[in-house]
C-alpha cells in the first residue's frame, strides 16, 4: 500500500527532536509522499528548506487565517512562489472558530491569495472552519461564470454532505483527516459518500491524531489508520482506496509517484 499525506507540517517545532525518525516511520508505513504545508512566511521557508533535502516531500506557500493580520500578504508571497516553486498556495482561507484576525481582514487576504494562485496557475489548499458560506461565496466570486478560479481542495473537511456536494460541483476536491475516526456524524456521512477520485487523505500532523492515538502528537505514519478506517466504513478495498487517493494527489499537485 502506498499513501500520500497531502497535508502535514513536519517542519513545525513539534518534530525538531526526532524529525528523521518520524520520516522513516512514515516511509515504513507506506506513506511515501508528503506535502508540507506552510502557514506564514516563516513556516513557508522552513517547509521549503526541509523539502529541498527530501525528493519525496514537496512544500506549499501559505498564509493561514490565524496569521492573516500579521503579514504583508502580497509582495513577499509573490517572491517566495517565484523563487521556490511550491506545489500549491495554501493553507489559506477563513477561520471564524478561533482566529485572532478580524473576519474582514481574513476575507481580504483570502481573496489576495486566490488571485496569486491564479496568477501562478497553482492549486489552492483551503482551510475553512465555521465559515462555509463566506468561503464558498469568495471561491465563486473570484472566478467567472460560477466556476472556481483555480483548482482547489478544502482540507480537513469538517462540514456536511451538502457542503461537500457544493464544493464538488465547482470542481473542488475535499480531503479527510483523522477526524473521520472520531465518528463525528456529519463528517463521517460525507466521507462515506465522497466519490473516489474527488477526495484525498491527510494527517494535518502534528494535529488531529486518529482515534487510537488521540491527544498525542500526530505523524504521517498514522495516515494508514485513517485509510484503514475509511476503507472499512465505505466498504471498499483498502488497496484501491490507497491507489485512487494517491493518483488524485499526484494529479492535483502534479507530482510523480
Ligand atoms: Zn488547516
Ligand atoms: Zn494544517
Amino acid at each position: 500500500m502506498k499513501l500520500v499525506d497531502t497535508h502535514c507540517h513536519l517542519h513545525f517545532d513539534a518534530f525538531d527532536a526526532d524529525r528523521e525518525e518520524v520520516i522513516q516511520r512514515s516511509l515504513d508505513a507506506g506513506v511515501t509522499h508528503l506535502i508540507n504545508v506552510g502557514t506564514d512566511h516563516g513556516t513557508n521557508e522552513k517547509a521549503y528548506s526541509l523539502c529541498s533535502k527530501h525528493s519525496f516531500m514537496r512544500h506549499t506557500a501559505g498564509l493561514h487565517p490565524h496569521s492573516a493580520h500579521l503579514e504583508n500578504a502580497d509582495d513577499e508571497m509573490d517572491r517566495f512562489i517565484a523563487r521556490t516553486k511550491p506545489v500549491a498556495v495554501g493553507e489559506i482561507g477563513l477561520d471564524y472558530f478561533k482566529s485572532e484576525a478580524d473576519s474582514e481582514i481574513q476575507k481580504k487576504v483570502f481573496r489576495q491569495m486566490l488571485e496569486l494562485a491564479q496568477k501562478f496557475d497553482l492549486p489552492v489548499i483551503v482551510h475553512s472552519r465555521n465559515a462555509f458560506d463566506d468561503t464558498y461565496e469568495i471561491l465563486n466570486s473570484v472566478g467567472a461564470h460560477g466556476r472556481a478560479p483555480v483548482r482547489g481542495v478544502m482540507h480537513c473537511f469538517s462540514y456536511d454532505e451538502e457542503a461537500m456536494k457544493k464544493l464538488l460541483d465547482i470542481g473542488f476536491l475535499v480531503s479527510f483527516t483523522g477526524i473521520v475516526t472520531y465518528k463525528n456524524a456529519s463528517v463521517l456521512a460525507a466521507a462515506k459518500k465522497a466519490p473516489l477520485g474527488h477526495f484525498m487523505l491527510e494527517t494535518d500532523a502534528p494535529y488531529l491524531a486518529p482515534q487510537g492515538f488521540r491527544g498525542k502528537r500526530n505523524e504521517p505514519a498514522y495516515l494508514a489508520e485513517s485509510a484503514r478506517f475509511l476503507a472499512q466504513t465505505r466498504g471498499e478495498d483498502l488497496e484501491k482506496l490507497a491507489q485512487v487517493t494517491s493518483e488524485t494527489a499526484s494529479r492535483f499537485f502534479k507530482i510523480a509517484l
Side-chain angles (χ1 to χ4, degrees), residues 42-255:
T43 58
N44 289 339
E45 287 291 352
K46 281 189 176 171
Y48 171 56
S49 146
L50 175 64
C51 295
S52 49
K53 292 179 206 134
H54 300 278
S55 61
F56 53 89
M57 291 190 191
R58 305 303 287 275
H59 76 289
T60 71
L63 189 46
H64 195 285
H66 290 176
S67 305
H69 58 310
L70 302 174
E71 311 269 350
N72 173 5
D74 267 349
D75 291 355
E76 203 168 337
M77 192 70 84
D78 197 306
R79 283 196 296 274
F80 179 78
I81 294 172
R83 173 166 58 90
T84 71
K85 309 273 186 284
V87 292
V89 170
E91 50 192 301
I92 56 173
L94 303 175
D95 191 326
Y96 297 165
F97 182 65
K98 60 173 186 184
S99 181
E100 310 248 308
D102 175 80
S103 63
E104 287 310 311
I105 294 174
Q106 291 191 40
K107 286 194 238 177
K108 180 172 160 248
V109 170
F110 185 31
R111 282 199 193 89
Q112 284 176 333
M113 293 297 105
L114 288 169
E115 279 159 19
L116 207 55
Q118 205 167 24
K119 175 182 163 186
F120 285 96
D121 193 24
L122 286 169
V124 292
I125 299 171
V126 174
H127 170 109
S128 176
R129 196 153 179 216
N130 285 19
F132 183 78
D133 291 346
D134 283 359
T135 308
Y136 183 72
E137 189 192 312
I138 289 175
L139 288 175
N140 279 299
S141 70
V142 176
H145 313 301
R147 301 297 299 177
V150 285
R151 293 178 300 121
V153 59
M154 184 171 283
H155 108 91
C156 191
F157 184 79
S158 58
Y159 297 118
D160 60 10
E161 199 184 330
E162 191 191 339
M164 180 177 77
K165 278 189 181 142
K166 286 175 120 176
L167 291 168
L168 299 183
D169 279 348
I170 60 165
F172 251 62
L173 306 182
V174 294
S175 78
F176 297 109
T177 58
I179 65 171
V180 292
T181 65
Y182 304 169
K183 303 192 174 90
N184 169 302
S186 63
V187 177
L188 197 56
K192 276 186 194 170
K193 294 279 175 61
L196 269 180
H198 297 268
F199 70 93
M200 304 190 289
L201 305 178
E202 60 166 305
T203 57
D204 205 9
Y207 312 115
L208 303 173
Q211 189 61 42
F213 306 94
R214 202 167 174 180
K216 293 188 186 157
R217 182 188 69 175
N218 197 5
E219 61 177 71
Y222 301 163
L223 189 63
E225 296 299 316
S226 309
R228 232 169 257 129
F229 176 85
L230 261 186
Q232 204 173 42
T233 311
R234 290 165 56 90
E236 206 158 60
D237 179 50
L238 177 60
E239 281 297 333
K240 185 173 180 198
L241 179 82
Q243 189 195 333
V244 178
T245 53
S246 296
E247 285 166 1
T248 306
S250 165
R251 270 199 310 278
F252 182 78
F253 293 109
K254 296 193 172 142
I255 53 170

